[in-house]
């Protein structure tokens, strides 16, 4: 079956530090990959996505590249801000029969805290 | 506009109460989802509706009863819940079931439920 493995948290960084959150996956076929962010007390927001190998998703300074050879989709940001403090979920979508709604397989989530 | 709305934002109920959660989207999406999220965990899929028909029920106890009256509205009826059902309940929608793994799910802000 499908699975997503994220680096264990929590991650604590100082403002303007470089961020990497590792995500690797196991899936059959050609999944799409997503990063969702959940701010305290809120629902999940789509941060970025990539739908095929070598695609790079980007949004709000965050980037992730779909690497099929290493089955990875690591999240990076060059300079984090206090407002980036949140939980980040890596997810993949695949496996449903044609014509069906897709299910997301989530990683365990990584708590990021950015200190001023 | 990628907005999914959920009401109420917070709900406290006793184990003998009957209550309902409501989810709406006006993006023309034809798949809608209910998830349950416990603290510090990823969301767990409960139900999926495709074209207003229940397509996935992830072995959810019968005290949770979903309903999709039309393509814009999704309800979750609650009856005789247990304290362990306390969680954040998230609704999501996606445009076209069967469009493929690139299909993106958009989440609402959630209803935080406390069962006493």
């Amino acid at each position: 079956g499908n699975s997503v493995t994220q680096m264990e948290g929590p991650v604590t960084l100082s403002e303007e530090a470089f961020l990497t959150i590792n995500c690797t996956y196991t899936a059959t076929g050609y999944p799409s990959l997503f990063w969702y962010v959940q701010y305290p007390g809120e629902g999940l927001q789509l941060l970025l996505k990539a739908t095929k190998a070598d695609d790079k998703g980007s949004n709000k300074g965050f980037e992730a590249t779909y690497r099929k050879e290493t089955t990875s989709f690591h999240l990076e940001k060059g300079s984090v801000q206090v407002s980036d403090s949140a939980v980040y979920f890596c997810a993949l979508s695949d496996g449903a029969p044609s014509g069906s709604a897709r299910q997301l397989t989530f990683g365990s989530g990584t708590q990021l805290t950015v200190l001023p | 506009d990628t907005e999914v709305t959920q009401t109420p934002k917070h709900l406290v109920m006793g184990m003998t109460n009957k209550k309902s959660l409501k989810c709406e989207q006006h993006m023309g999406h034809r798949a809608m989802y209910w998830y349950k999220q416990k603290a510090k965990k990823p969301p767990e899929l409960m139900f999926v509706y495709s074209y207003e028909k229940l397509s996935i029920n992830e072995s959810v106890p019968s005290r949770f009863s979903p309903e999709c009256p039309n393509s814009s509205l999704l309800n979750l009826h609650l009856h005789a819940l247990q304290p362990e059902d306390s969680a954040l309940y998230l609704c999501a929608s996606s445009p076209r079931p069967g469009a493929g793994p690139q299909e993106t799910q958009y989440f609402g802000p959630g209803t935080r439920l406390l069962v006493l």
Side-chain angles (χ1 to χ4, degrees):
Chain A
N2 297 337
S3 68
V4 175
T5 302
Q6 278 182 246
M7 65 185 284
E8 291 287 326
V11 174
T12 302
L13 296 173
S14 297
E15 206 164 25
E16 299 184 1
F18 184 86
L19 168 71
T20 300
I21 300 178
N22 290 339
C23 172
T24 57
Y25 68 90
T26 302
T28 56
Y30 302 95
S32 288
L33 301 170
F34 304 83
W35 277 101
Y36 284 88
V37 58
Q38 187 172 32
Y39 297 102
E42 298 186 10
L44 274 68
Q45 297 179 23
L46 177 68
L47 182 59
L48 53 83
K49 72 176 188 181
T51 59
K52 60 183 187 294
D54 300 323
D55 263 3
K56 178 187 281 189
S58 60
N59 186 25
K60 299 181 182 179
F62 291 90
E63 293 183 340
T65 301
Y66 186 159
R67 301 283 188 204
K68 194 166 175 62
E69 64 276 14
T70 54
T71 62
S72 65
F73 192 54
H74 304 321
L75 183 68
E76 296 183 336
K77 186 175 186 183
S79 176
V80 292
Q81 305 300 311
V82 172
S83 56
D84 294 326
S85 297
V87 180
Y88 293 81
F89 291 99
C90 184
L92 72 80
S93 171
D94 189 21
S98 176
S100 301
R102 298 283 163 169
Q103 296 189 52
L104 287 174
T105 300
F106 286 95
S108 57
T110 301
Q111 170 75 56
L112 170 66
T113 301
V114 180
L115 302 175
Chain B
D1 184 13
T2 54
E3 187 177 30
V4 177
T5 60
Q6 290 187 243
T7 54
K9 193 170 175 62
H10 301 276
L11 179 62
V12 180
M13 60 186 292
M15 288 189 284
T16 58
N17 291 158
K18 285 186 181 181
K19 297 285 186 184
S20 297
L21 309 185
K22 181 179 171 181
C23 172
E24 276 191 285
Q25 56 86 15
H26 296 286
M27 299 176 281
H29 290 182
R30 302 307 300 276
M32 297 185 77
Y33 310 75
W34 279 116
Y35 289 85
K36 174 183 177 179
Q37 186 182 25
K38 301 285 270 186
K40 301 188 187 300
K41 297 290 187 183
E44 299 173 12
L45 184 65
M46 301 174 72
F47 303 104
V48 181
Y49 275 82
S50 295
Y51 299 104
E52 296 89 68
K53 292 192 189 318
L54 184 65
S55 61
I56 296 174
N57 175 341
E58 291 286 353
S59 303
V60 178
S62 60
R63 57 186 185 268
F64 296 91
S65 175
E67 179 195 19
C68 189
N70 59 58
S71 60
S72 301
L73 185 56
L74 184 67
N75 297 319
L76 186 63
H77 303 296
L78 314 173
H79 173 54
L81 294 194
Q82 304 297 309
E84 60 265 28
D85 296 322
S86 299
L88 181 68
Y89 287 84
L90 293 163
C91 175
S93 69
S94 64
R96 287 191 301 121
Q102 70 274 17
E103 180 88 341
T104 299
Q105 291 186 30
Y106 298 92
F107 285 80
T111 293
R112 194 161 297 280
L113 174 66
L114 177 62
V115 182
L116 300 176

